[in-house]
Amino acid sequence: MNELKELWLKYNEYTNKLSEVLGRTSNIVGEYAEHLALQYYGGELLPASEKSADLTGPKGKLYQIKARKLKTGTTSQLGIIRSWNFDYLVVYLFGYDGSVNYALEYPVDVAKEYAKQNDHQNDTLLLQLRNFRRSKGKEVKMKTPIHAINRFKKRIGHEITESELQELNELIINDDECVELVKWRRGNDISVYKINWQGLEFYAIYFLTEYRIISFRNIEDEVHEDLGEYWREHDMQKLWDKE
C-alpha cells in the first residue's frame, strides 16, 4: 500500500513539473508534441485559444499539431478540427513508454481525406487515427536530443543529461582543446570528432548544417570511410513501427 502511495505522489509530482515547464494547458501530451514540433520547424507557437493552427513556421506556414499516447493494440480518436485554415497537419504518436513511435506531416488537402463529420458537434470534424496512412505522410525527423543521448548510453556505457549533451555541442562549436576533428570531406554535412571529456574518450558524429551531435561511437569502433554511412545508420532508428 505504501508503494502505491509513493507511485501516486511521484506521478503527481512529475505531472505538475511537466505542466509547469510546458506552461500552456493541462493537455501534457498535446503540449509536448507542440514542443517537439517547435524544435523541428522553428517559428513560434500560437496562443492556445487559436482554433486553426498551433504553430507558425519561419516561412509563415501554419501547422496544426495532433498527438496521442496509446497503449499496445489500441486505436483512438486523433482529435477535432474546427478550421482548415492551416497548411500542414502534423501527427505525433507516442508509445506506452512515452517515446515517439512516429511523427508524420500531411498537407491539409491530404488531411481532409481522413476527416468525418462529428455527430455531436456539427461545426467540427473528427480525425480517426486508424484512418491515417503513413505512406501519405512525410516523416518528421526528431531534432530532440533523445537519439543522441540513447546512443551515448548504449555505445559509451554512460548516461548523459540534455545539458551535458549541449555542453559537448558547445565544445565542438568552440573548437575546444579536448576536441579533435577526425573525419570531414568537402560537400559532406557530417563530420566525426574525437572528444576527451570527463575521463571518457569517444567519437561524436556531428551534423554541420544544424550544429548538433546526432550520434556517438566507441573509440574502439572503426570510423566509416563513407560518411554517408552515418546517415544510413541514423535512419535505422525509425520514428514509427514497420507497416
Side-chain angles (χ1 to χ4, degrees), residues 21-212:
V21 172
L22 295 170
R24 285 160 56 85
T25 72
S26 59
N27 178 12
I28 293 176
V29 174
E31 294 296 338
Y32 184 59
E34 291 177 15
H35 165 76
L36 295 180
L38 178 63
Q39 285 195 321
Y40 179 78
Y41 293 105
E44 183 180 359
L45 288 174
L46 297 172
S49 58
E50 177 63 46
K51 293 182 178 180
S52 59
D54 301 299
L55 173 72
T56 178
K59 297 182 180 180
K61 296 295 185 181
L62 293 173
Y63 299 86
Q64 173 79 247
I65 316 298
K66 295 296 182 184
R68 277 292 177 269
K69 180 176 181 292
L70 301 178
K71 294 183 179 181
T72 304
T74 64
T75 59
S76 173
Q77 176 184 314
L78 183 57
I80 293 175
I81 295 292
R82 293 184 172 85
S83 168
W84 291 108
N85 186 28
F86 58 88
D87 299 294
Y88 296 98
L89 174 71
V90 182
V91 177
Y92 283 88
L93 179 64
F94 297 98
Y96 184 73
D97 64 351
S99 60
V100 179
N101 278 1
Y102 69 77
L104 294 172
E105 172 194 289
Y106 296 86
V108 64
D109 289 341
V110 175
K112 287 179 179 180
E113 298 177 14
Y114 305 127
K116 72 172 189 176
Q117 189 65 45
N118 185 352
D119 295 332
H120 302 289
Q121 294 175 281
N122 293 329
D123 60 338
T124 63
L125 295 165
L126 290 176
L127 294 175
Q128 296 289 342
L129 183 62
R130 64 176 175 269
N131 293 337
F132 274 72
R133 298 294 178 268
R134 298 176 189 177
S135 59
K136 290 194 175 184
K138 173 187 172 184
E139 179 183 2
V140 176
K141 294 183 178 179
M142 290 188 295
K143 289 187 180 179
T144 62
I146 296 171
H147 175 83
I149 289 173
N150 289 342
R151 295 298 91 184
F152 194 90
K153 180 179 180 180
K154 180 176 180 179
R155 291 187 171 146
I156 314 304
H158 295 266
E159 293 188 0
I160 57 170
T161 64
E162 187 171 335
S163 61
E164 287 174 327
L165 178 62
Q166 182 58 36
E167 178 186 338
L168 292 174
N169 276 312
E170 291 173 0
L171 290 176
I172 293 175
I173 293 170
N174 296 325
D175 194 23
D176 192 274
E177 62 181 10
C178 72
V179 175
E180 176 188 350
L181 179 62
V182 175
K183 200 78 168 176
W184 174 81
R185 281 187 185 155
R186 189 178 300 278
N188 280 110
D189 53 6
I190 294 290
S191 58
V192 181
Y193 290 88
K194 183 164 71 173
I195 299 179
N196 195 317
W197 175 77
Q198 294 191 6
L200 300 171
E201 194 172 41
F202 50 85
Y203 295 122
I205 317 305
Y206 192 73
F207 188 18
L208 294 165
T209 306
E210 296 181 358
Y211 305 100
R212 65 186 176 95

